[in-house]
Amino acid sequence: MAGQIGFTLMTEQSGPRELVRYARLAEESGFDYLVSSDHYFPWLPEMGHSPYAWSLLGAVSQVTERVGLMTYVTCPTMRYHPAVVAQKAATVGLLSEGRFVLGLGAGENLNEHVVGPGWPRVSTRHEMLAEAIDVIRRLLDGETVTHHGDHFTVDAARLWDRPEGRLKVGVAVSGDRSVDRFGSAADHLIAVQPDAGLVQRWREQREQASLPAGRAIGQLPICWGPDADRCAQRAHELFRWFSSGWPVMAELPLPGSFTAASESVTVDEVAQGIPCGPDLDAVVEALEPWWDAGFTDVALVQVGDESQEQFLREAAPELLGRVRERPTFRAVA
């Protein structure tokens, strides 16, 4: 399986028209695939955006020709009913002529509370996700689905427009229990930390179920720019929430909550975790733990809307060349 480098369409920090333009530039720069976040709110008020990911993906499918597309990730349990997610995924699969992977996860309170029923505990969220994946899979496989489950009801649903071949599904996991629960339910692993044990357990689960290992897909934030100090300030302004960790991030309800939770995070602390400045080798080195952990794919996040176009035009082609020259990246193939 060949390794891939992706680029993140960060809906929380850019408007929809800008994101479509960045998608086209990312393909021209040489990225292998694009992932889109799927949020109702930005993480912090300073980020300032949150357009609808599925309209964005439809537009991106028409201005690109080669790159893969993916949600990173969609929660199919509260804000969206799983039957509707299946229809959206099938449509994007058709528009992109088979380039789309449906990335799913258990979600965050930040984005799901807007529909009002309250934020379930994590065990319930995993139950809901498992049930949702089953419904989505059956619909994508062409079944007419009637389902009366613990969390969802589906009444004689059928997808009338589906891509040829089975649309691939990725699932976000964070520990042994989620790997054990979802290891045979999806095609690809999605994670936010370069955890070798997670990948190994996933592959063992897949092997026991006589399933292909699939891709292991991660994500790395960077803040490239000519001035390292300015980049560190920008990363702190827009991405200091990232240091909270997913157990905290999944529970907080509003962008202001993330502001309060990250008020003690310093610029230096952010710069220690995010490569900041013009040094492309620092980005290459930051990717090494992912390849060492067994990940096949990593999508970069360029922090800051104002720097997207400059990064894609000036830095990305050289960066991608350096990454692909590394023995650790080539060993992924």
Side-chain angles (χ1 to χ4, degrees), residues 58-70:
V60 168
S61 74
Q62 300 305 291
V63 300
T64 59
E65 298 177 354
R66 173 188 55 81
V67 288
L69 304 177
M70 182 179 179

Side-chain angles (χ1 to χ4, degrees), residues 4-6 31 33 194 218-222 275 280-301 319-320 322-324 326 328-329 332:
Q4 296 189 90
I5 304 293
F31 283 97
Y33 67 102
Q219 190 176 55
L220 175 70
I222 68 171
L280 296 181
D281 286 335
V283 179
V284 175
E285 291 297 328
L287 285 165
E288 288 294 300
W290 295 93
W291 312 135
D292 290 342
F295 280 77
T296 60
D297 303 63
V298 180
L300 300 178
V301 182
L319 172 61
L320 292 170
R322 293 191 192 186
V323 171
R324 289 168 179 147
R326 297 286 283 216
T328 44
F329 176 76
V332 171

Side-chain angles (χ1 to χ4, degrees), residues 6-242:
F7 183 75
T8 301
L9 302 174
M10 193 77 175
T11 60
E12 300 94 307
Q13 66 177 12
S14 301
R17 294 179 64 86
E18 291 76 19
L19 288 163
V20 172
R21 186 172 75 253
Y22 302 153
R24 185 173 60 249
L25 288 173
E27 181 175 70
E28 293 171 356
S29 298
F31 283 97
D32 298 307
Y33 67 102
L34 305 173
V35 305
S36 171
S37 53
D38 186 356
H39 273 224
Y40 201 89
F41 285 101
W43 296 104
L44 295 171
E46 294 89 338
M47 299 180 87
H49 294 277
S50 200
Y52 185 53
W54 292 90
S55 298
L56 169 67
L57 286 165
V60 168
S61 74
Q62 300 305 291
V63 300
T64 59
E65 298 177 354
R66 173 188 55 81
V67 288
L69 304 177
M70 182 179 179
T71 48
Y72 199 104
V73 292
T74 286
C75 178
T77 63
M78 296 182 66
R79 188 166 40 113
Y80 305 139
H81 190 282
V84 177
V85 172
Q87 185 188 33
K88 294 191 286 192
T91 299
V92 175
L94 285 167
L95 288 170
S96 64
E97 298 183 296
R99 291 182 283 135
F100 179 65
V101 172
L102 175 61
L104 299 174
E108 304 93 18
N109 194 6
L110 177 70
N111 302 300
E112 307 307 315
H113 78 269
V114 295
V115 295
W119 186 233
R121 61 184 182 179
V122 66
S123 59
T124 302
R125 300 199 302 264
H126 283 175
E127 290 173 6
M128 296 172 74
L129 179 59
E131 188 175 330
I133 291 174
D134 177 64
V135 169
I136 291 166
R137 284 288 214 185
R138 291 167 62 193
L139 286 166
L140 290 174
D141 285 344
E143 293 185 34
T144 297
V145 175
T146 294
H147 172 87
H148 300 281
D150 293 332
H151 302 286
F152 303 107
T153 296
V154 183
D155 183 14
R158 175 189 167 190
L159 299 180
W160 289 85
D161 293 279
R162 297 181 299 115
E164 293 184 10
R166 199 177 206 209
L167 192 149
K168 300 294 186 181
V169 174
V171 64
V173 296
S174 58
D176 290 348
R177 284 188 295 179
S178 56
V179 170
D180 293 346
R181 181 153 208 163
F182 299 110
S184 59
D187 302 292
H188 306 308
L189 172 151
I190 299 170
V192 296
Q193 296 293 331
D195 186 335
L198 204 65
V199 177
Q200 181 60 34
R201 192 176 185 95
W202 172 272
R203 290 175 176 167
E204 290 171 356
Q205 289 286 327
R206 302 287 292 178
E207 184 176 0
Q208 291 174 12
S210 299
L211 295 169
R215 296 158 60 187
I217 305 166
Q219 190 176 55
L220 175 70
I222 68 171
C223 193
W224 177 89
D227 185 328
D229 290 338
R230 174 67 191 105
C231 287
Q233 291 288 340
R234 184 168 69 227
H236 178 262
E237 178 187 7
L238 300 178
F239 244 73
R240 63 188 184 275
W241 55 271
F242 194 71

